[in-house]
Each structure stands twice: as C-alpha cells, then as structure tokens.
Amino acid sequence: MDTRFPMEDIAPIAILMDELRSEDVQLRLNAIHSIPTIALALGNDRAREELVPFLQDSVDDEDEVLLALAEELGRNFEEYIGGKQYAHVLLGPLENLAAVEETLVRDKAAESIVKVAAVLSNTQIEEYYIPLLNRLSQGEWFTSRTSAAALYPPVYSKVSPATQEHLRKGFAALGSDDTPMVRRAAARWLGALVKNLPKQYVLSDGLPIYRRLQSDDQDSVRLLTVEDLIVIAEQLSPSEIKEQLLKQIRHSISDKSWRVRYMAATHFNELAAAVGLELVREELMGLYVQLLKDNEAEVRTAGSGQIPGFSKLLDKEVILARIIPCVRDLSHDTSQHVRSALANQISGLAPLLGRDATIENLLPLFLHLLKDEFPEVRLNIISKLETVNNVIGIEYLAESLLPAIIELAEDKSWRVRQAIIEYIPLLATQLGREFFDEQLGNLCMSWLGDTVFSIREAATINLKKLTEVFGVEWAKVAIVPKVMGMGQHPNYLYRMTTVQAITTISPSLTLAIVRSEIIEPLLQLAMDAIPNIRFNVAKSLEVLATTFGQSSEGHALVQQRIIPALEHQKNDTDADVRYFATRALQKALSVNEISVKGH
C-alpha cells in the first residue's frame, strides 16, 4: 500500500528547506517537528534518499532547533524510511549532531544513536555503527569524543570478539584523553561498559581505566568514578576486591575534594552491599565513621542519610559502640541540614536496636531533635515516629514524647502543626479513647480555630478520621456539640470552620445525628451575613443530600429541609451563593427523584 500523499506539486522538500532557512526560530522548530509528516508524504524511498541527506546538512542552526532534530530522529524514525533494514541511514545526521558544541544537543543525539542501535542487526552495527564510533572517538574536536563514550556500552555484546577488543582499546583511549571533558564522559559511562565485560576483561581492561580515572587531577572526573567502583566491585569476589580495590576505596573516601567524598557518602550503602560483609566489618566501618565526622557539612549530611541502611549490615553491639556515638554528635551538629538528614533517618535504627536500647539511646535524641530550632528537623522526627512506636510501644512513646508533641501542636511553623495533626489519628488508634479524650481532645478542637487555613482544613479531616477510629457515638458527644457551638462565634472564620467541618465529617455520621444536632444550626448559617459562609452552606447541603438522600428517612430530610433552603439561596443577592445553591439544588432534586423511584 502506498502511503504517499499527492504532494509532488507542492514540493515538500523545498517548503521544508524554506522553513528551515526562515529567520523565525519558531518556524524552523515547527518544520523539524513536522518531518515525520513530510517523510510520510514523500514515501519511504524519497524520505531516505532526499529528506535524510538534507537533514544531515542542516546542522548549522540554533541549538533549540538542533535539539528538536536530534529528538525527532530517535523517535522510531526508521519507520518512515523503509524499516529497520535502513535504520543505519539515520546515523549520518545524528553523527553530525553528536559533534556540535551544545552539550544538550550532543547528549540527545547520543541518546537517539543508542535508540537506533537497538533496532540495528549485528551486521549493520559492524558495518555502519562501529565506523561512526571510530570517527567520533578519533574526532579532532573534544565534543565528538565526549559523545563517543556513551556509544560503547550499548553495542559491546553485539559485536565479534575482535571488535570487542577494539572497543575496549578505544574506550581506554577516551579515559586517557588530554581533555577533562572527555575523561569525565569516560568516567560517566565506564560502569555501563563494565557491566557488559566478562570478569577477565574487567580485571585486564576495566580496572586499569578505572584506576587512571580515579587518580585524575580533576575532581569532576574523580567523583564520577565512585559509581564505577561499585559496578566493578559487583563483578569481583571479596578476595579480588580486597586485593584490587581496597586502596581505591580508601582514596575515594579520603579524597582531598569534598565533592568526591560527598559522592562516596551518598553511595556508601551501595558500596557496602557490593564489597560484602567481611570487608564492611574490617574496613568500611572505620571509613564510614570517618565520613560521619567529615569537616564538610555536605558530606556529613550525605553520610547521615545512609545510617539505617548501613547499620543493617552490622551487629547490634557494633551499632551501639560505633554508630550511636556518631549519631549523638550529629544530633548536635552545627549544620541544620545535617540535623535534618539525621532526623529523617534516626528512627530506622530503632528496629535494629530493639526496645530497651532504643529507649536508652535513641529516645533522648528524639526529644532533643523535637526541640530543634529549625522546623524541618522537628518535622522529620514527627513524620517517622510510627517506626519507633512499633518498637517501644505507644505507652512509653506517649509518656516520653507526648509533652513535646503537645508543645509542637502550637509550633510557630504551620507545617509542623500540620504534621502533628496528621499523626493524631495514629496516636488515637494506639492510645485508646479514654487516654485520647483526656490528653488530646481539646487540642484537636483548638486547631479548628487556627489562623492558617491549611491547619483548619487538616483539623476537619482529622475529626473525620477520629470519628472512624472511635465511632459515631463518641463523635456525637465529643465532636459535634463543640463544632456546632463554633457556628455562633462572632468571628466569621470560626463559623466558616463549622460549615467546612460538617461538610467533611457528615458522611461519617448517622442520619439521626444530622437531624438532631446538625441540620438546624446549619440552616441558620445559610442566612449568615457573610456570602462565603452562605455558599459553603450550599456545598454542605449538597453533601448531606447526596450522602443521606437515598434512604426514606433521608428523603424526608432532603424534601422538607434541604430543598427549601436551597430554593431560598438560589435567589441570594450574591452571585457565588446563587451559583453554588443552584448546583446543589440540582443534585438534591436528582437524588430526591432517584429516591422516589426507588421507593
């Protein structure tokens, strides 16, 4: 079937050329994005023989246009030029793009070359891809050599042993290149290449490249070798790691550049998993403590993020003897970022230490961090208390931390107050009704009057969750009277909160409670002087109608109380009230009609 459009008369190539030559960048961009349509119109043969060569010559343009071209050619473009057997034709324009000055364009071109390689046959790779790789690797400008590094790993396993040897030598040359940017690219892609190498070549070829890059005079190169180190370690046995890599591991963790040490700290758990338990206990334990005591806050921050994961590899006694002293020091660190990272991770030690050791060693640190001057530190501790609760039990947690939690409930940072609110239903579940009413009941109601809307909103959701925890009878006594009482408050924010609380919690209540406790005060608020309150009442009545209107008793409530109130609001002086009342009335009438048919 011929997919061509009758476009010979309008000369699509000429049109495309005109658009690409336009001074308007947007017009040139549009032209690039339309090349699949142009290719479809031309048909496979002309697209391959005319369009692709034209695109190959179109690399003298704005970076934005070139980036779009590199991207388009990697989007299964082989389908427009005759299929996979012709996919190698796309390598021409992409090779040119892989050598331009702009990094984003080169990276996108390399990414598209890799996508094209995925559909090439082994023969096409040997015949077309490898020569391209050679040209880029030996290019006069560093830009092409930089792009070449990304192109070795995807095809290594698809070529003959002789070509594989050639590729290993070619990559080694990039790792020794005079230009730091090329060596940086080699460091970035070495790990991906090593994953494709049999162990004998990891030792004979991969390891020398890594060692050379790991001792590079540029820290921007050395920091990228940390991930290479992990990949190489994963390919070797513990004894080979000890013999071949231990010196490099020590060098990376003691590197003179904090950026390299930061990378080592960030990936420390991956490194520990790769080298095995014996080396962790013999060597990495001391090196990890060194990172936690580093003189740069960024390194200590990264190291703090690894604490629970690394500690899982250690015995409890080692954690208590080596890790806990560092944790104590970090909890008093001068950097808030270090303390924040620690607060986010410290609870992960509780399951490893067990109840008694957690109470003795971690609880004092929790209390200290809960009183930290920076909100994020306090927030991170609060958000992870559940882990600690599972280890030491709610009674002890409540006894030791409840005073601090109550203090935080009035914290000047609203995000901290919000985090506490979100933790309350969990506390309530585990504390029990009696303890909750005594210790936290009034606190939960006080949040309804908070000056920050997000807190008031969170407080109403909290009441709904507490109703689900303790039941509707509890809500009828403990929540509903207090909420409805706020509806008489002279401050309109309190009255607004009443309406919003009803809207949120009413689906969790019974119809009997709505009829006896809620509907009358709510209808009074429908005539409030503040329009915002009146239209929120309309929203609330809509929720009540849709929640309860389908039962026979609920039908009566909708018919006798809700619909008349909304009919009245429909004629309100305020446009917003009229809008929401009309919408709610339509819903109420619809529910009412369904209810009548059902009965």
Short mmCIF file of all heavy atoms in Angstrom, two decimals, residues 226-227 230-231 233-234 263-276 284 306 310 313:
data_model
loop_
_atom_site.label_atom_id
_atom_site.label_comp_id
_atom_site.label_asym_id
_atom_site.label_seq_id
_atom_site.Cartn_x
_atom_site.Cartn_y
_atom_site.Cartn_z
N VAL A 226 33.12 6.99 41.55
CA VAL A 226 32.56 6.29 42.72
C VAL A 226 31.54 5.24 42.26
O VAL A 226 31.54 4.10 42.73
CB VAL A 226 31.91 7.29 43.70
CG1 VAL A 226 31.14 6.55 44.80
CG2 VAL A 226 32.98 8.20 44.32
N GLU A 227 30.68 5.62 41.31
CA GLU A 227 29.70 4.66 40.81
C GLU A 227 30.36 3.56 39.98
O GLU A 227 29.90 2.41 39.98
CB GLU A 227 28.62 5.39 40.00
CG GLU A 227 27.74 6.28 40.89
CD GLU A 227 26.69 7.04 40.11
OE1 GLU A 227 25.70 6.41 39.69
OE2 GLU A 227 26.86 8.26 39.91
N ILE A 230 31.60 0.88 42.35
CA ILE A 230 30.54 -0.03 42.82
C ILE A 230 30.27 -1.11 41.78
O ILE A 230 30.17 -2.29 42.10
CB ILE A 230 29.26 0.77 43.14
CG1 ILE A 230 29.50 1.68 44.35
CG2 ILE A 230 28.08 -0.15 43.41
CD1 ILE A 230 28.47 2.77 44.53
N VAL A 231 30.17 -0.70 40.51
CA VAL A 231 29.90 -1.67 39.44
C VAL A 231 31.03 -2.69 39.34
O VAL A 231 30.78 -3.89 39.21
CB VAL A 231 29.71 -0.94 38.09
CG1 VAL A 231 29.58 -1.95 36.95
CG2 VAL A 231 28.47 -0.04 38.12
N ALA A 233 33.15 -3.56 41.71
CA ALA A 233 33.12 -4.41 42.91
C ALA A 233 32.06 -5.50 42.80
O ALA A 233 32.25 -6.63 43.27
CB ALA A 233 32.85 -3.54 44.15
N GLU A 234 30.94 -5.17 42.15
CA GLU A 234 29.87 -6.17 41.98
C GLU A 234 30.30 -7.32 41.08
O GLU A 234 29.73 -8.41 41.15
CB GLU A 234 28.62 -5.49 41.39
CG GLU A 234 27.89 -4.61 42.40
CD GLU A 234 26.81 -3.74 41.77
OE1 GLU A 234 26.80 -3.59 40.53
OE2 GLU A 234 25.98 -3.20 42.52
N MET A 263 30.17 12.20 47.12
CA MET A 263 29.67 11.11 46.27
C MET A 263 29.86 9.76 46.94
O MET A 263 28.98 8.89 46.90
CB MET A 263 30.39 11.13 44.92
CG MET A 263 29.90 12.21 43.97
SD MET A 263 28.19 12.00 43.46
CE MET A 263 28.37 10.69 42.26
N ALA A 264 31.00 9.59 47.61
CA ALA A 264 31.27 8.34 48.32
C ALA A 264 30.25 8.14 49.44
O ALA A 264 29.73 7.03 49.64
CB ALA A 264 32.69 8.34 48.88
N ALA A 265 29.94 9.22 50.17
CA ALA A 265 28.97 9.13 51.26
C ALA A 265 27.58 8.85 50.72
O ALA A 265 26.82 8.05 51.28
CB ALA A 265 28.96 10.43 52.07
N THR A 266 27.21 9.50 49.61
CA THR A 266 25.88 9.33 49.02
C THR A 266 25.65 7.88 48.58
O THR A 266 24.54 7.36 48.68
CB THR A 266 25.72 10.28 47.81
OG1 THR A 266 25.91 11.62 48.26
CG2 THR A 266 24.35 10.15 47.18
N HIS A 267 26.69 7.24 48.07
CA HIS A 267 26.55 5.87 47.54
C HIS A 267 27.14 4.82 48.48
O HIS A 267 27.43 3.70 48.04
CB HIS A 267 27.24 5.79 46.17
CG HIS A 267 26.60 6.64 45.11
ND1 HIS A 267 25.44 6.28 44.47
CD2 HIS A 267 26.95 7.85 44.61
CE1 HIS A 267 25.10 7.23 43.61
NE2 HIS A 267 26.00 8.19 43.68
N PHE A 268 27.31 5.18 49.74
CA PHE A 268 28.05 4.29 50.64
C PHE A 268 27.35 2.94 50.83
O PHE A 268 28.01 1.89 50.87
CB PHE A 268 28.28 4.96 52.00
CG PHE A 268 29.42 4.34 52.76
CD1 PHE A 268 30.72 4.76 52.52
CD2 PHE A 268 29.21 3.33 53.68
CE1 PHE A 268 31.79 4.18 53.19
CE2 PHE A 268 30.26 2.73 54.35
CZ PHE A 268 31.56 3.16 54.10
N ASN A 269 26.04 2.95 50.96
CA ASN A 269 25.33 1.68 51.18
C ASN A 269 25.44 0.75 49.97
O ASN A 269 25.54 -0.47 50.11
CB ASN A 269 23.86 1.93 51.51
CG ASN A 269 23.69 2.51 52.91
OD1 ASN A 269 24.63 2.53 53.69
ND2 ASN A 269 22.50 2.99 53.22
N GLU A 270 25.41 1.34 48.77
CA GLU A 270 25.59 0.53 47.56
C GLU A 270 26.99 -0.08 47.54
O GLU A 270 27.17 -1.25 47.17
CB GLU A 270 25.38 1.38 46.31
CG GLU A 270 23.98 1.95 46.14
CD GLU A 270 23.95 3.05 45.10
OE1 GLU A 270 24.22 2.76 43.92
OE2 GLU A 270 23.68 4.21 45.47
N LEU A 271 27.97 0.71 47.95
CA LEU A 271 29.35 0.21 48.00
C LEU A 271 29.47 -0.91 49.03
O LEU A 271 30.08 -1.95 48.77
CB LEU A 271 30.30 1.35 48.35
CG LEU A 271 31.78 1.00 48.51
CD1 LEU A 271 32.34 0.43 47.20
CD2 LEU A 271 32.59 2.21 48.95
N ALA A 272 28.85 -0.72 50.19
CA ALA A 272 28.90 -1.73 51.25
C ALA A 272 28.27 -3.04 50.78
O ALA A 272 28.80 -4.13 51.03
CB ALA A 272 28.19 -1.21 52.50
N ALA A 273 27.13 -2.93 50.07
CA ALA A 273 26.47 -4.13 49.57
C ALA A 273 27.34 -4.84 48.54
O ALA A 273 27.35 -6.08 48.45
CB ALA A 273 25.12 -3.76 48.97
N ALA A 274 28.09 -4.06 47.76
CA ALA A 274 28.92 -4.64 46.69
C ALA A 274 30.15 -5.35 47.23
O ALA A 274 30.58 -6.38 46.69
CB ALA A 274 29.34 -3.55 45.70
N VAL A 275 30.76 -4.83 48.32
CA VAL A 275 32.03 -5.41 48.79
C VAL A 275 31.85 -6.60 49.71
O VAL A 275 32.76 -7.39 49.90
CB VAL A 275 32.92 -4.34 49.49
CG1 VAL A 275 33.18 -3.17 48.57
CG2 VAL A 275 32.32 -3.88 50.81
N GLY A 276 30.66 -6.75 50.32
CA GLY A 276 30.42 -7.92 51.18
C GLY A 276 30.65 -7.63 52.66
O GLY A 276 31.38 -6.70 53.03
N LEU A 284 35.16 -0.95 55.98
CA LEU A 284 34.20 0.11 55.71
C LEU A 284 33.63 0.73 56.97
O LEU A 284 33.21 1.90 56.96
CB LEU A 284 33.07 -0.40 54.81
CG LEU A 284 33.28 -0.08 53.31
CD1 LEU A 284 34.54 -0.76 52.79
CD2 LEU A 284 32.08 -0.48 52.48
N GLN A 306 22.61 7.66 55.12
CA GLN A 306 22.92 6.23 54.91
C GLN A 306 22.86 5.42 56.21
O GLN A 306 23.07 4.20 56.19
CB GLN A 306 24.32 6.10 54.30
CG GLN A 306 24.54 6.91 53.04
CD GLN A 306 23.87 6.30 51.83
OE1 GLN A 306 24.17 5.19 51.43
NE2 GLN A 306 22.93 7.03 51.24
N PHE A 310 23.18 1.26 56.27
CA PHE A 310 24.50 0.71 56.59
C PHE A 310 24.44 -0.10 57.88
O PHE A 310 25.06 -1.17 58.00
CB PHE A 310 25.53 1.83 56.71
CG PHE A 310 26.92 1.33 56.98
CD1 PHE A 310 27.62 0.61 56.02
CD2 PHE A 310 27.53 1.57 58.20
CE1 PHE A 310 28.91 0.14 56.27
CE2 PHE A 310 28.82 1.10 58.45
CZ PHE A 310 29.51 0.39 57.48
N LEU A 313 23.79 -3.86 58.15
CA LEU A 313 24.87 -4.81 57.87
C LEU A 313 25.71 -5.11 59.11
O LEU A 313 26.62 -5.94 59.05
CB LEU A 313 25.78 -4.24 56.77
CG LEU A 313 25.10 -3.85 55.45
CD1 LEU A 313 26.09 -3.16 54.52
CD2 LEU A 313 24.50 -5.08 54.77
#
